[in-house]
Amino acid sequence: MQARYHEFQQLNLPELEKEILQSWEKDKAFEKSVTNREGAKPFIFYEGPPSANGLPGIHHVISRTLKDLVCRYKSMKGFQVQRKGGWDTHGLPIELGVEKELGITKEDIGKKISVEEYNQKCREAVLRYKDLWDDLTRKMGYWVDLDNPYITFENSYIETLWWCLKELYKKGYLYESVSIQPYSPAAGTGLSSHELNQPGTYKDVKDTSATVLFHVPLSAGERGSEANASHSSLKKLTDAVAPGADSEPTGKLYIMAWTTTPWTLPSNLGLAVGPNVEYSLVKTFNPYTGLPSSVIIATALIPKYFKEEGKDISFADHKEGDKFLPWKVITTFKGAELDGLKYNQLLPFEANSLDRVREITPEADPFKVILGDFVTTEDGTGIVHMAPAFGADDFKAGKKNNLGILTLVDREGKFVPGVGEFSGRFVKNYKSEADYVDVNVDICVLLKKESKAFKIEKYEHAYPHCWRTDKPILYYPLDAWFIRTTALKDRMVELNKTINWKPKSTGEGRFGNWLENMVDWNLSRSRFWGTPLPIWRTEDGEEEKCIGSIEELNSEIKKASTALRGETNKHYLHEGLLDLHKPYVDDIILVSESGKPMKRVPDLIDVWFDSGAMPYAQWHFPFENRDMVDPEKGEARAFPADFIAEGVDQTRGWFYTLHVLGVMLFDSVAYKSVVSNGLVLDKDGNKMSKRLGNVVDPFKTIGQFGADATRWYLVTNASPWENMKFDVEGIREVQRKFFGTLYNTYQFFALYANVDGFAFKEAYIPVKDRPEIDRWILSSLNSLIRKVTLHLNDYEPTLAGRAIEYFTDELLSNWYVRLCRRRFWKGEYEKDKIAAYQTLYECLETLMRLMAPVSPFFSDYIYRILDKVTGRLGVASVHYTDFPVENPEVIDLALEERMQMAQDISSLILSIRKKVNIRVRQPLQKALVPVNGKDMEEQIRKVEDLIKAEVNVKDLEYLSGSNDFIHKKVKPNFVALGKKMGSKMKAVAAAIGGFTQDDIKKLELTGEIELMIEGTPIIIRVDEVDIQSEDVPGWMVASKNALTVALDIQVSPELEKEGNARELVNRIQKIRKDQGYELTDRIDVKLAGNEKLIPAITQFNNYICAEILADTLELVPEIADGTAIEVNDIQLKVLVSKKG
RNA sequence: AGAUCCGUAGCUCAGCCUGGUUAGAGCACUACACUGAUAAUGUAGGGGUCACCAGUUCAAAUCUGGUCGGGUCUACCA
């Protein structure tokens, strides 16, 4: 028996997906989809490795859908798309998770638990949820190679990382330096940028802020003045503070600077001014001691410190306690003029004397004004206090200007000895002491007493806190290794411009800016579970060695053992180092060129290096798979990527590190196209978080609605780079509207194709020989192929999906199938019917292939059913097929346009019927369509039959433009006229609006008309206006845009008879259905009860019988137990009985 | 604080690049139809100062500047 198309009881996406999944697994469908394309041009894709120590969420589904659909699409387009999965297994989140689980802190590692045990725990924790992740991957239909993933903790992976590091080292891009890093004294540990970005780390706190005065010695009598003796602005300053003729009190010269961390003031080594900022020298009194003083402050910030009322008032009359301080601007100058000016140290102690500074930085030249571009006049005084140890800007500027460095606070957060009364005191209340006295306040008190403070106040601002101890962090100088990314900044910027970013703004803006402002990459992490930095160094730091491979290491191990003898490396001589992690790697001692022992520097490297090096490390390059990345000749098969996609939060993460390493190692981009998707928010627009309990469980969603509906929703709801408000109602809608419609369409096809035994065995009927409507839907289908291909090539899956939806709902289901229903269930199995089947089949099959990348399950399911019956493509899965290619010969835009007109005209006629309450079953005589020109008439004529059938009207008449019959209205075509008329446009519009019917007629006949506008004659041509039919007197009229339709609503007795016949057909069909007859059952019908129907029945007997598949239709006097029905208020009884 | 995206109907989104005179769709809601593919469909209806302010223009949802609100990323900001 001939194979049948499966007819569903109901659509159950999750069930159907389970079935497909099983078959994919059985057939190794994914593997096959890759091997099928063996030898084809590769499309290179990189999987950004997720970390499997957390649970997968719905946001992972969006980016993975995106990745999957592109890869599936490219496979169907004939590329071979390898997709190696991967796991990110190092790093802080994993360590923190383990610490939490074990109930320990970082300080306990190596004490309560050995590093060996700890790392073992991490190794176990890292793939804790791997099974769950794999399950999600499967269930969501994400095709990626899970059997041979790259795992970042494996030796081979780390070996490639070491190779990369050594390459950078050889090029001089790897260096060590002190840098200022966030540091938590309370926890005794440095903090990573991730930790600093934990929610809630920035807290609003009230700190004691101080505006302090740095004394600038000018005159010979003042201590330190000799340092300024040769300063270029000396004279200007000296003159300014000299006693004036008014004999107002003069005072010392001070520079004002503001800080929210007074505890850094003893460590002050410089003051920064903006080179182009304007500063004023203001004469006033010290508010605390009343001493006359002259202060330097940015002009723009004077109002913050001085009240307008005090300006230029008498100094002599000033008494202590007055409301306003008198003040007066003496002179102004640019910051650049202050460059190099020396001041006396603010808080000199034993520990911060110049000698002590020079012990650390021998040539240091501190206590002077320097220039800094970072200085603004937004707050403070426009002059920034520089404590190089406690701020990154300070450090940088200090280095540049040779200020030296002072670290008067130890790692516990308290002042070191030698800072007078402050020695030994904590700078913040790190120990939660109940009786803690704020040292910042005491410093301020001291400054006030010494006339060195101008304003002390509480200041509220956001300050980062250690998320673990809740204590404020401070910035502290720590040793760290860096990659000199800035050396290749220009090249990175240049190459970035060649990357296709979706959306563009992320690449140009967010990423571009980031590159422009890049700083060297701080690689060091003082942690335990991660890739060790493969650098060994002698104790004096004079000699060091960077190791680039396991082989090199093992040979060095032997060398050192021989050279240093004794116990050195004795456990590692035979098999080498078996695990490259701590603590083992730290046991290794190497020997320097001069024969000294070298120990590994203790740092691990940033995990982002792990993922950034993934293009090379996933293939264990260069130790294996050489030609994947850097072939001797020809193209690399796995570098750079054609496409990557991740969340926008990876811009500074993975996207950045990939780019950096691609450029630094190979002078190449690492990826050619990148799609960054937005966040998934809950339906109210809040970020999903465990705390709010609004996290959507992807398993639940997929289980309930199916992966396809979920994927389709995620893709079509909004462009992937926009933040998406996730609402399951949306999935429900997709399921019902799109998949439901598609399912109905398929179901309709299957139902009749099974009846007729259609299996596409007949020859393909040339499209030109098919009816208008078939040619139309095929034209639309090919237009759709074109659009979808364009959109997918452009990484715009949202637009592709929406186009498919539109075609399915509006064109295929609501128009083609609706209008063609009769062709499927009426008549013999001959050419027209076969054409209909072939057309609908082609639409369905093509749709399945078009949607396969986005909804891989449903499309494969339906495709398989179709192809199993027809064997048309003879390919076992839709995912092995080629993506459809448009056939331009089938596309007929004029046809698509006129079908649109047919839909519009039908819609208008239906709306008139509605208005006058005449149902569609009642035939009407005719409709009038005013047309503009022959073309329009031609167009409509070709679809006339469809319109007539759809709206049940017998004739369609056309009214040409010259007809007096129609009232018209005219409106200027603003696009055409606007440019020409310019400011006269309003007057022209008014004039055109006032046209009479005669004016319009004249315009139409002669093609133009002359107007007088503001005294100037103006010619208006007919193509510069839009003429529309407005009304047909005596008819019911409806119009939309340029189309107008008039309908004859007279129901003649003849029409009424026909209407009755149709009503009767409708009633009997209903009875057939109620009585559960098969579509093909033949029946006998008896009618009784009302003579009014006799004319209709007699005249339309054949028609009625044909419609209802009746062999006989008789009128009988009486029916005992028939069904009572009503046709247009006529009561009667019917008896329907099945034949045989 | 900076960068960036977003703000159009109760909800989800088109339209903006390329300015043009009734601002669209789907969902939801109301009513009436239709139905031998019906968890559909058709018709009609209500629902919008296109976040706000200013500017450019004959004409602004659309271009420019600013403000406000939301999201994200980055940030030592004195």
Side-chain angles (χ1 to χ4, degrees):
Chain A
M1 186 194 147
Q2 146 116 49
R4 288 169 59 87
Y5 301 97
H6 179 251
E7 292 173 36
F8 292 86
Q9 293 308 305
Q10 58 161 1
L11 178 61
N12 186 336
L13 285 173
E15 265 319 300
L16 157 171
E17 288 175 8
K18 271 183 206 150
E19 228 177 282
I20 286 286
L21 260 185
Q22 276 175 10
S23 115
W24 281 354
E25 264 149 43
K26 194 171 107 261
D27 302 342
K28 297 207 170 303
F30 167 52
E31 289 80 350
K32 210 174 275 177
S33 79
V34 178
T35 52
N36 272 346
R37 301 292 188 187
E38 203 58 70
K41 191 171 172 9
F43 179 82
I44 304 166
F45 164 75
Y46 293 157
E47 162 77 342
S51 177
N53 80 320
L55 292 170
I58 195 76
H59 54 287
H60 295 108
V61 178
I62 171 101
S63 64
R64 302 178 121 216
T65 298
L66 210 56
K67 298 189 226 180
D68 188 54
L69 79 89
V70 170
C71 289
R72 283 181 191 268
Y73 169 67
K74 292 293 177 180
S75 287
M76 291 176 77
K77 276 305 227 183
F79 294 92
Q80 186 179 39
V81 190
Q82 303 235 25
R83 286 158 258 181
K84 201 175 178 58
W87 298 106
D88 189 14
T89 58
H90 283 146
L92 204 68
I94 290 143
E95 289 201 43
L96 294 178
V98 168
E99 284 173 25
K100 197 174 166 193
E101 194 180 318
L102 299 177
I104 59 172
T105 66
K106 188 191 174 194
E107 285 64 44
D108 298 326
I109 302 164
K111 294 174 193 150
K112 287 187 188 164
I113 179 171
S114 72
V115 173
E116 189 174 2
E117 284 173 286
Y118 177 77
N119 272 358
Q120 186 52 39
K121 287 281 179 200
C122 288
R123 186 184 286 264
E124 286 161 15
V126 109
L127 295 175
R128 170 173 308 154
Y129 297 116
K130 180 174 178 293
D131 289 348
L132 259 179
W133 275 87
D134 284 352
D135 194 37
L136 178 71
T137 304
R138 264 166 32 87
K139 284 187 175 148
M140 68 168 285
Y142 180 30
W143 274 4
V144 63
D145 184 357
L146 295 173
D147 297 331
N148 309 292
Y150 63 93
I151 298 174
T152 59
F153 70 56
E154 287 181 343
N155 278 355
S156 60
Y157 197 94
I158 294 175
E159 187 177 24
T160 299
L161 300 181
W162 282 8
W163 175 84
C164 294
L165 288 164
K166 180 150 189 188
E167 288 296 302
L168 297 172
Y169 185 83
K170 284 194 289 195
K171 292 179 181 178
Y173 293 148
L174 196 57
Y175 70 97
E176 190 191 25
S177 168
V178 169
S179 80
I180 308 299
Q181 292 164 41
Y183 177 82
S184 169
T189 176
L191 295 176
S192 71
S193 55
H194 298 85
E195 286 171 297
L196 217 53
N197 274 306
Q198 296 279 331
T201 45
Y202 279 83
K203 293 183 201 222
D204 283 333
V205 288
K206 273 194 177 157
D207 278 330
T208 304
S209 76
T211 303
V212 296
L213 300 170
F214 292 84
H215 175 213
V216 179
L218 293 174
S219 56
E222 293 178 294
R223 179 176 58 87
S225 60
E226 63 282 0
N228 286 325
S230 57
H231 195 274
S232 56
S233 299
L234 180 67
K235 186 167 177 345
K236 185 172 177 182
L237 290 166
T238 312
D239 289 351
V241 296
D246 51 8
S247 73
E248 278 170 358
T250 60
K252 290 181 180 175
L253 176 65
Y254 295 96
I255 300 177
M256 266 169 82
W258 178 64
T259 180
T260 54
T261 50
W263 60 267
T264 60
L265 288 171
S267 303
N268 169 277
L269 291 169
L271 292 170
V273 296
N276 298 314
V277 175
E278 191 195 81
Y279 293 89
S280 292
L281 200 160
V282 179
K283 186 176 272 189
T284 185
F285 292 98
N286 184 300
Y288 298 108
T289 59
L291 291 176
S293 310
S294 299
V295 301
I296 295 176
I297 180 174
T299 308
L301 288 159
I302 290 176
K304 274 189 109 161
Y305 288 90
F306 298 99
K307 293 216 163 73
E308 189 57 35
E309 292 90 331
K311 191 176 182 188
D312 297 329
I313 60 175
S314 160
F315 278 55
D317 299 344
H318 178 66
K319 299 188 298 293
E320 238 184 297
D322 277 358
K323 235 178 171 182
F324 310 114
L325 274 181
W327 61 278
K328 183 177 179 184
V329 174
I330 306 294
T331 181
T332 65
F333 32 82
K334 287 276 184 255
E337 294 178 62
L338 297 171
D339 188 20
L341 197 62
K342 294 279 194 169
Y343 60 84
N344 287 334
Q345 189 171 14
L346 186 73
L347 290 164
F349 293 103
E350 213 179 300
N352 63 4
S353 67
L354 186 58
D355 290 343
R356 296 291 285 271
V357 174
R358 288 189 173 155
E359 276 173 28
I360 309 161
T361 37
E363 299 297 316
D365 179 24
F367 313 125
K368 65 181 177 194
V369 174
I370 61 170
L371 303 181
D373 291 326
F374 53 87
V375 178
T376 65
T377 55
E378 265 155 44
D379 43 22
T381 62
I383 297 161
V384 183
H385 137 67
M386 300 269 104
F390 303 116
D393 269 347
D394 307 38
F395 182 77
K396 242 190 303 175
K399 217 168 173 183
K400 193 173 151 198
N401 293 285
N402 195 26
L403 294 179
I405 186 162
L406 265 178
T407 311
L408 298 182
V409 176
D410 66 15
R411 291 202 178 193
E412 285 181 76
K414 62 180 195 299
F415 277 112
V416 297
V419 194
E421 60 193 278
F422 306 119
S423 293
R425 292 179 62 181
F426 286 98
V427 302
K428 288 277 156 88
N429 190 9
Y430 292 117
K431 300 288 179 199
S432 297
E433 291 163 352
D435 54 352
Y436 176 78
V437 180
D438 191 348
V439 76
N440 293 290
V441 174
D442 290 347
I443 290 172
C444 291
V445 170
L446 177 71
L447 290 170
K448 279 187 194 173
K449 280 187 201 148
E450 297 187 353
S451 282
K452 289 174 179 167
F454 194 82
K455 196 174 189 180
I456 306 294
E457 61 183 350
K458 291 283 180 190
Y459 179 76
E460 188 169 345
H461 62 150
Y463 195 82
H465 287 66
C466 170
W467 62 281
R468 204 163 355 165
T469 60
D470 260 354
K471 294 292 176 193
I473 61 119
L474 55 86
Y475 290 83
Y476 205 85
L478 298 168
D479 280 335
W481 287 81
F482 290 84
I483 296 178
R484 203 181 302 280
T485 49
T486 47
L488 290 179
K489 177 183 130 180
D490 292 344
R491 185 64 179 147
M492 291 182 201
V493 169
E494 190 184 331
L495 283 171
N496 178 45
K497 288 178 183 152
T498 69
I499 297 172
N500 176 27
W501 280 86
K502 293 303 267 189
K504 220 176 175 47
S505 59
T506 301
E508 285 171 358
R510 189 180 279 209
F511 196 67
N513 288 333
W514 175 248
L515 291 179
E516 291 288 350
N517 300 319
M518 80 166 66
V519 293
D520 284 348
W521 179 358
N522 181 348
L523 261 192
S524 291
R525 294 295 180 269
S526 318
R527 301 293 315 191
F528 298 92
W529 176 242
T531 303
L533 190 63
I535 292 176
W536 274 259
R537 191 144 70 176
T538 55
E539 199 169 358
D540 58 14
E542 293 295 310
E543 293 172 85
E544 65 186 26
K545 192 168 273 176
C546 180
I547 298 296
S549 72
I550 295 174
E551 194 189 326
E552 184 185 357
L553 179 64
N554 288 339
S555 115
E556 290 288 337
I557 285 173
K558 292 204 175 105
K559 206 167 113 192
S561 170
T562 314
L564 301 171
R565 304 216 185 77
E567 300 280 287
T568 307
N569 302 337
K570 75 169 187 183
H571 300 297
Y572 304 98
L573 286 173
H574 293 292
E575 295 178 275
L577 184 60
L578 293 179
D579 179 353
L580 304 183
H581 286 95
K582 279 163 94 78
Y584 316 107
V585 69
D586 290 336
D587 290 348
I588 307 290
I589 308 286
L590 301 185
V591 64
S592 74
E593 295 298 323
S594 67
K596 288 185 203 149
M598 298 193 291
K599 294 182 100 169
R600 196 183 72 81
V601 304
D603 307 47
L604 301 183
I605 63 167
D606 184 6
V607 272
W608 290 104
F609 193 95
D610 289 19
S611 44
M614 153 276 163
Y616 333 106
Q618 69 170 338
W619 298 111
H620 195 204
F621 175 87
F623 308 101
E624 295 175 68
N625 302 310
R626 245 209 108 86
D627 63 339
M628 293 298 253
V629 178
D630 192 17
E632 301 282 307
K633 50 183 172 264
E635 270 185 59
R637 283 191 294 134
F639 183 83
D642 288 299
F643 163 74
I644 58 171
E646 299 292 333
V648 68
D649 50 328
Q650 292 297 331
T651 308
R652 269 92 181 226
W654 196 49
F655 296 160
Y656 176 66
T657 57
L658 276 176
H659 189 63
V660 163
L661 292 179
V663 174
M664 296 196 93
L665 293 171
F666 294 97
D667 189 36
S668 163
V669 294
Y671 43 87
K672 295 177 187 166
S673 287
V674 50
V675 178
S676 74
N677 59 272
L679 294 195
V680 181
L681 309 170
D682 76 1
K683 69 185 171 69
D684 300 319
N686 299 311
K687 196 176 176 177
M688 290 188 185
S689 76
K690 282 193 191 127
R691 188 171 52 82
L692 293 172
N694 57 353
V695 178
V696 174
D697 176 3
F699 292 101
K700 213 174 130 194
T701 308
I702 290 174
Q704 189 178 356
F705 302 100
D708 272 358
T710 307
R711 290 170 60 128
W712 195 270
Y713 165 72
L714 290 171
V715 167
T716 56
N717 184 59
S719 284
W721 33 88
E722 283 183 36
N723 291 340
M724 132 154 323
K725 289 184 194 159
F726 186 88
D727 187 359
V728 290
E729 279 310 311
I731 305 183
R732 221 185 288 276
E733 190 181 325
V734 160
Q735 195 190 31
R736 213 176 50 228
K737 191 138 179 60
F738 176 62
F739 287 96
T741 305
L742 205 47
Y743 151 82
N744 277 332
T745 307
Y746 163 79
Q747 188 78 339
F748 173 85
F749 168 81
L751 188 67
Y752 292 104
N754 283 336
V755 170
D756 284 321
F758 172 77
F760 226 122
K761 294 294 181 253
E762 299 80 10
Y764 188 80
I765 299 172
V767 174
K768 64 176 171 46
D769 296 341
R770 300 192 197 188
E772 177 95 352
I773 192 155
D774 289 0
R775 283 188 282 117
W776 165 74
I777 194 73
L778 290 173
S779 169
S780 303
L781 180 70
N782 278 277
S783 293
L784 176 70
I785 296 172
R786 202 173 144 259
K787 282 179 216 150
V788 170
T789 307
L790 279 176
H791 291 322
L792 288 181
N793 284 344
D794 200 20
Y795 297 103
E796 293 275 5
T798 308
L799 300 181
R802 284 175 181 169
I804 293 173
E805 261 178 6
Y806 177 79
F807 175 86
T808 305
D809 288 343
E810 301 303 322
L811 305 186
L812 186 62
S813 172
N814 286 348
W815 194 247
Y816 181 78
V817 172
R818 195 152 62 85
L819 263 57
C820 288
R821 274 178 297 191
R822 293 179 68 85
R823 294 171 67 197
F824 291 91
W825 45 269
K826 272 276 164 299
E828 296 305 308
Y829 188 68
E830 39 60 67
K831 191 174 167 192
D832 177 69
K833 202 171 199 181
I834 295 168
Y837 277 125
Q838 289 191 348
T839 303
L840 183 53
Y841 182 95
E842 187 173 343
C843 288
L844 284 169
E845 183 202 83
T846 306
L847 268 179
M848 293 309 126
R849 289 197 283 156
L850 288 175
M851 66 192 278
V854 181
S855 58
F857 294 100
F858 182 82
S859 57
D860 206 16
Y861 196 91
I862 301 293
Y863 165 83
R864 285 171 187 224
I865 295 173
L866 295 175
D867 205 63
K868 201 168 152 199
V869 176
T870 66
R872 205 164 97 93
L873 297 178
V875 176
S877 162
V878 73
H879 303 293
Y880 311 155
T881 66
D882 288 337
F883 204 73
V885 178
E886 63 160 314
N887 179 358
E889 284 172 28
V890 176
I891 296 181
D892 180 348
L893 293 179
L895 170 58
E896 290 184 36
E897 189 191 329
R898 66 177 169 263
M899 195 59 77
Q900 186 59 52
M901 272 197 263
Q903 296 191 31
D904 290 342
I905 292 171
S906 301
S907 167
L908 289 172
I909 293 176
L910 290 174
S911 77
I912 298 174
R913 276 181 172 276
K914 166 72 192 163
K915 223 171 272 168
V916 296
N917 219 358
I918 300 176
R919 49 184 49 168
V920 181
R921 268 197 299 272
Q922 175 60 57
L924 290 173
Q925 195 54 47
K926 68 176 173 186
L928 292 180
V929 182
V931 289
N932 299 322
K934 260 285 174 258
D935 289 351
M936 186 172 170
E937 185 175 335
E938 288 293 307
Q939 281 280 71
I940 298 176
R941 247 182 224 293
K942 288 181 180 158
V943 289
E944 191 184 297
D945 290 341
L946 293 171
I947 299 172
K948 289 194 291 198
E950 175 67 7
V951 299
N952 201 9
V953 166
K954 297 203 170 301
D955 296 309
L956 207 56
E957 282 182 22
Y958 304 91
L959 289 176
S960 64
S962 52
N963 201 307
D964 288 339
F965 202 29
I966 319 168
H967 277 263
K968 298 196 171 170
K969 77 174 174 201
V970 63
K971 189 172 87 172
N973 180 341
F974 282 92
V975 183
L977 269 177
K979 292 220 165 53
K980 196 167 132 188
M981 296 301 152
S983 58
K984 295 197 185 96
M985 196 56 216
K986 269 193 179 133
V988 173
I992 292 175
F995 278 9
T996 62
Q997 291 294 315
D998 284 344
D999 291 334
I1000 296 171
K1001 199 163 168 189
K1002 187 179 164 204
L1003 180 58
E1004 279 188 304
L1005 285 174
T1006 61
E1008 58 182 49
I1009 196 165
E1010 192 178 280
L1011 291 177
M1012 286 302 283
I1013 302 294
E1014 292 157 13
T1016 328
I1018 285 174
I1019 306 278
I1020 302 290
R1021 292 202 316 273
V1022 71
D1023 57 340
E1024 287 166 342
V1025 297
D1026 294 325
I1027 298 175
Q1028 286 176 24
S1029 309
E1030 194 177 32
D1031 204 5
V1032 181
W1035 292 60
M1036 284 300 292
V1037 170
S1039 56
K1040 179 190 170 191
N1041 299 331
L1043 275 176
T1044 301
V1045 176
L1047 184 64
D1048 179 355
I1049 54 170
Q1050 296 304 313
V1051 181
S1052 65
E1054 197 59 22
L1055 289 171
E1056 191 181 352
K1057 256 191 285 180
E1058 193 178 338
N1060 285 342
R1062 289 205 177 203
E1063 290 289 336
L1064 187 62
V1065 168
N1066 167 255
R1067 300 301 186 277
I1068 296 173
Q1069 296 288 33
K1070 190 162 160 39
I1071 294 168
R1072 278 185 67 117
K1073 196 179 178 185
D1074 290 346
Q1075 294 181 192
Y1077 295 167
E1078 289 297 315
L1079 289 181
T1080 47
D1081 288 340
R1082 300 208 63 90
I1083 53 170
D1084 289 322
V1085 178
K1086 290 186 167 58
L1087 292 168
N1090 204 310
E1091 297 185 347
K1092 284 189 198 154
L1093 270 184
I1094 292 175
I1097 293 165
T1098 324
Q1099 189 178 342
F1100 292 100
N1101 194 291
N1102 288 342
Y1103 162 79
I1104 296 171
C1105 288
E1107 287 294 311
I1108 62 175
L1109 294 187
D1111 286 347
T1112 59
L1113 174 67
E1114 297 175 81
L1115 274 166
V1116 295
E1118 182 105 8
I1119 294 171
D1121 46 47
T1123 314
I1125 59 168
E1126 186 188 310
V1127 171
N1128 291 339
D1129 296 333
I1130 305 166
Q1131 311 287 334
L1132 67 165
K1133 279 186 138 182
V1134 196
L1135 185 66
V1136 177
S1137 53
K1138 194 156 72 172
K1139 294 278 280 188

